[in-house]
């Protein structure tokens, strides 16, 4: 690792630090998703079916056994009769906590290749300066060595960016599924028309981002 940093220069050192932080963020998000029960909605789906069938007691019982972070939110809605807009806003707040760290992964996925390219450009400048200084006594091996060292930073940048982009895509896909499920539950709670102000969670989320 030390030889890699010495060969690639400060750009590789920066990419190495970024990669360590990125791996830490990815493992933290995996732990956070597992602790929050992301994707574990069997009981929540059962509660939705029971509520839709008019069996409120079975719906509450199913929610009580759910490990999902959304279960307490919907349990409170069952008990207090919150409006759809209020419930959607609280669900979006829960989603925002789970999405904390996504911006870092997105930044790394976009910035790491640029850092690698920047290091390559600097390395190519050094290589051609050495070629100029050599004058007529040009050694092709010196030029080739300078070029591969320069390209090393591009490879390092891509090796950092690709896992970050892959992890971000996976996390983002899981959160998209969470929003769809929450929207279904919210719409089911007010499907009888008792709450005509219900709005799709996806629409509310889109308006907030706009």
């Amino acid at each position: 690792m030390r030889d890699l940093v010495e060969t690639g220069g400060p750009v590789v050192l920066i990419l190495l630090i970024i990669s360590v932080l990125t791996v830490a963020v990815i493992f933290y998000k995996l732990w956070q998703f597992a602790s929050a029960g992301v994707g574990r909605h069997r009981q929540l789906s059962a509660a939705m079916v029971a509520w839709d069938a008019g069996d409120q007691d079975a719906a509450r019982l199913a929610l009580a056994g759910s490990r999902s972070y959304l279960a307490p939110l919907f349990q409170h809605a069952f008990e207090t009769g919150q409006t759809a807009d209020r419930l959607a806003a609280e669900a979006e707040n829960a989603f925002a906590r789970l999405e904390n760290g996504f911006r870092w992964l997105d930044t790394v996925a976009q910035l790491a290749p640029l850092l690698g390219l920047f290091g390559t450009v600097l390395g190519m400048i050094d290589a051609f300066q050495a070629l100029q200084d050599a004058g007529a006594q040009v050694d092709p091996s010196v030029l080739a060595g300078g070029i591969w060292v320069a390209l090393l930073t591009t490879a390092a940048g891509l090796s950092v960016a690709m896992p970050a982009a892959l992890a971000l895509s996976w996390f983002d896909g899981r959160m998209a599924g969470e929003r769809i499920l929450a929207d279904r539950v919210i719409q089911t709670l007010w499907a009888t028309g008792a709450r005509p102000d219900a709005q799709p969670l996806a629409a509310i989320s889109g308006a907030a981002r706009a």
Side-chain angles (χ1 to χ4, degrees), residues 129-207:
Q129 281 182 340
L131 180 62
Q132 181 182 15
D133 294 339
Q137 304 297 324
V138 177
D139 186 355
S141 64
V142 174
L143 179 61
I147 292 176
W148 83 258
V149 169
L151 293 176
L152 179 65
T153 59
T154 296
L158 292 175
S159 66
V160 174
M162 288 187 291
L166 182 63
L168 177 61
S169 178
W170 187 82
F171 288 133
D172 195 51
R174 297 299 296 270
M175 291 308 302
E178 294 295 297
R179 281 189 166 86
I180 292 173
L181 178 67
D183 184 41
R184 287 178 57 198
V185 175
I186 291 173
Q187 297 306 307
T188 298
L189 290 176
W190 283 272
T192 59
R195 292 289 188 272
D197 57 342
Q199 298 181 22
L201 182 60
I204 296 174
S205 174

Side-chain angles (χ1 to χ4, degrees), residues 48 51-52 73-88 182-199:
M48 180 181 64
W51 183 273
D52 197 29
L73 179 65
F74 293 126
Q75 180 71 37
H76 184 64
F78 285 174
E79 300 298 336
T80 62
Q82 287 180 327
T83 64
D85 288 344
R86 173 66 181 275
L87 186 57
D183 184 41
R184 287 178 57 198
V185 175
I186 291 173
Q187 297 306 307
T188 298
L189 290 176
W190 283 272
T192 59
R195 292 289 188 272
D197 57 342
Q199 298 181 22

Side-chain angles (χ1 to χ4, degrees), residues 25-37 171:
V25 169
I26 291 174
F27 276 104
Y28 169 72
K29 298 307 297 181
L30 289 172
W31 171 83
Q32 186 183 32
F33 274 39
S35 299
F171 288 133

Side-chain angles (χ1 to χ4, degrees), residues 1-13 16 148-149 152-153 155-156 159:
M1 188 65 68
R2 179 178 300 176
D3 292 340
L4 180 63
V5 172
E6 290 178 353
T7 302
V11 174
V12 171
L13 178 60
L16 180 61
W148 83 258
V149 169
L152 179 65
T153 59
S159 66

